[in-house]
Amino acid sequence: GQNGGQNAGPGSIWKIDGITGAASLFANVTDGARNNSGPALGALAFDPGSGSLFASDRETGFIQRFGRDGSARDRYDHGVTGRAAQGLPTVPWTATPGIDVTSPQFDSTDPATWRYAAPERRIFGLAIFQHRLFYAVADSLQIWSVGLNGDGSFGNDAIIELMVPPAAGPTEISKIAFDDQGRMLLAERPAPSGAFDLEAVTTPAIGRAL
C-alpha cells in the first residue's frame, strides 16, 4: 500500500487538485508491458508550451512523456538514440523479470540487485530550458540535452553539455535547474546505502550543489 493502492506502483505519478486538495493518480510509468517493479522514478519536468510532463524511469532508462490528461505520448531512449547521435556505442535496455524480494538474488542492502538501468542509460535529473530537455546520466556524471519539438516530442539532436567533476564518492545528479540568467544549477544525491535501520540511507557528506 505504500505506493497508493492496487492501481499504482513505484512508477506512479500523482497530482493534487489546486482547488480541492484532493490527490489522485495521474499516470503509471511502464515499459509498455509491465509497471515499474521497484527502482521507481528519478525526476519530473513540465513543459507548459506543449503541456507535456516528462519523467525519468530508473529501471528502464527511458524518459517518458505524458499529456495533460495523463496519457502516454512517447518516450526517449538515451541509451540508443542519444548515444548514437554522438557516435557512441548504443546501450539498449533488455527487459528483465523485475525485482522479486523473495528471491535469494535480491539483497535490500545491495543496490546492485535493485534492477537499476545500466549507468550509461540511467537518467535522474531533468529540466527544460529554451526548448531543450536537459537530463543527467549516471555514467561519469554527464549532463546531456535534446531538442523538443513544438508538440513536446523529442528531437534527434542529443548533445553532451558537460561532465561534472567526480565527488568524493558515488553520486548522481538528481536535480537540474536554471536561474533567470540561464545559469545551470545541479544537485547531487549520494548513492543509497539500503540500510535496514534507516540511520544512514546514503553516504554522508559527499553530495554537492554546483
Side-chain angles (χ1 to χ4, degrees):
Q2 67 179 359
N3 293 305
Q6 63 182 355
N7 294 323
S12 58
I13 301 172
W14 293 73
K15 64 179 181 180
I16 298 175
D17 190 291
I19 297 176
T20 67
S24 61
L25 181 65
F26 176 74
N28 271 312
V29 176
T30 72
D31 64 18
R34 62 170 172 78
N35 291 333
N36 188 293
S37 73
L41 308 179
L44 302 175
F46 182 68
D47 177 26
S50 66
S52 298
L53 181 72
F54 300 89
S56 54
D57 186 338
R58 304 277 287 160
E59 183 168 29
T60 65
F62 293 123
I63 299 175
Q64 305 276 1
R65 183 172 73 96
F66 297 89
R68 289 181 184 270
D69 59 356
S71 61
R73 298 297 173 84
D74 54 9
R75 66 187 186 186
Y76 175 73
D77 188 346
H78 165 76
V80 175
T81 305
R83 288 176 62 85
Q86 289 299 305
L88 298 173
T90 60
V91 181
W93 182 66
T94 301
T96 62
I99 291 177
D100 177 5
V101 297
T102 66
S103 169
Q105 281 72 47
F106 175 77
D107 182 354
S108 62
T109 65
D110 182 7
T113 70
W114 295 359
R115 299 294 190 189
Y116 284 135
E120 295 85 356
R121 61 176 294 113
R122 188 165 71 237
I123 310 300
F124 206 150
L126 301 174
I128 295 171
F129 184 68
Q130 294 185 345
H131 308 294
R132 295 189 70 82
L133 176 66
F134 289 73
Y135 59 92
V137 182
D139 182 39
S140 301
L141 298 182
Q142 300 171 1
I143 305 298
W144 288 62
S145 75
V146 63
L148 297 176
N149 300 314
D151 62 355
S153 59
F154 302 98
N156 194 30
D157 58 351
I159 58 172
I160 302 173
E161 296 284 350
L162 60 92
M163 297 181 71
V164 179
T171 63
E172 287 188 68
I173 302 300
S174 59
K175 180 70 175 178
I176 306 172
F178 289 88
D179 69 9
D180 56 6
Q181 296 184 44
R183 294 173 296 194
M184 184 190 298
L185 309 175
L186 304 175
E188 278 183 324
R189 178 174 293 183
S193 66
F196 240 105
D197 58 10
L198 302 180
E199 289 293 325
V201 296
T202 64
T203 304
I206 63 171
R208 302 169 294 178
L210 301 132

